[in-house]
């Protein structure tokens, strides 16, 4: 009977030691993740590289990037696409690109005014999908016709 108790005790001790090692490793990884530094009272923090008070080149580059990437434009309304919120007629970008920018940044980009849109002039009162055969184009008919309505030009066929 005492042999079984000793085996259980050893098994529990090994499991506890493994759990402590995993926890220390996880704390060490969390403290070093994405170059962030944080104060941690774990024993593994003393084994990490010394912290420098001056910002690193990486920190300076990130600061420059964030200054450049400061969202501009109109705040995107929750649950609404930018192309439904702002008139992008004449903007050379696709609706998908415009809406993607809005989803990524939370701001609808300012409309860009390009030169003459590429494509065929849309005939008055006619949909682009009735005017041109868009077979094989990955975009929906609604998107193609929307571009035609917004710009006055039926977009070129995409393959």
């Amino acid at each position: 009977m005492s042999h079984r108790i000793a085996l259980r005790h050893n098994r529990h001790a090994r499991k506890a030691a493994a759990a402590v090692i995993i926890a220390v490793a996880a704390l060490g990884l969390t403290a070093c993740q994405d170059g962030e530094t944080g104060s941690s009272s774990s024993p593994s923090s003393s084994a990490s590289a010394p912290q420098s008070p001056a910002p690193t080149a990486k920190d300076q580059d990130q600061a420059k990037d964030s200054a450049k990437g400061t969202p501009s434009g109109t705040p995107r309304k929750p649950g609404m696409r930018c192309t439904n919120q702002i008139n992008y007629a004449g903007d050379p970008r696709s609706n998908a690109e415009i809406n993607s920018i809005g989803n990524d940044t939370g701001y609808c980009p300012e409309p860009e005014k390009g030169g003459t849109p590429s494509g065929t002039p849309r005939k008055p009162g006619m949909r682009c999908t009735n005017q041109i055969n868009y077979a094989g184009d990955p975009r929906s008919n609604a998107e193609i016709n929307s571009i035609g309505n917004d710009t006055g030009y039926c977009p070129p066929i995409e393959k």
Side-chain angles (χ1 to χ4, degrees):
M1 190 79 156
S2 65
H3 179 67
R4 285 186 180 173
I5 294 173
L7 286 176
R8 282 187 198 163
H9 179 69
N10 286 339
R11 189 175 349 156
H12 291 300
R14 284 189 303 238
K15 286 182 180 179
V20 168
I21 291 170
I22 291 170
V24 169
L27 288 172
L29 289 174
T30 303
C32 295
Q33 190 173 16
D34 295 331
E36 295 176 2
T37 58
S39 61
S40 164
S41 61
S42 71
S44 65
S45 66
S46 62
S48 64
Q51 304 297 324
S52 68
T56 64
K58 181 181 175 186
D59 294 335
Q60 291 172 348
D61 287 344
Q62 286 177 345
K64 288 178 189 174
D65 289 344
S66 66
K68 281 188 231 171
T70 301
S72 62
T74 306
R76 187 177 66 86
K77 294 178 183 173
M80 190 171 205
R81 294 180 180 162
C82 289
T83 52
N84 292 336
Q85 186 175 330
I86 297 173
N87 183 359
Y88 286 95
D91 195 307
R93 299 171 292 183
S94 70
N95 286 352
E97 181 181 356
I98 292 167
N99 289 324
S100 177
I101 293 169
N103 285 339
D104 293 346
T105 65
Y107 288 82
C108 296
E110 295 295 328
E112 291 180 0
K113 299 297 177 194
T116 303
S118 60
T120 307
R122 187 176 65 89
K123 294 178 182 172
M126 188 172 225
R127 294 181 179 165
C128 289
T129 53
N130 292 336
Q131 183 176 331
I132 298 171
N133 183 359
Y134 284 95
D137 193 302
R139 299 171 291 182
S140 69
N141 285 351
E143 181 179 354
I144 292 167
N145 290 324
S146 175
I147 292 169
N149 286 338
D150 292 345
T151 65
Y153 287 82
C154 296
I157 299 170
E158 291 182 2
K159 294 287 178 176

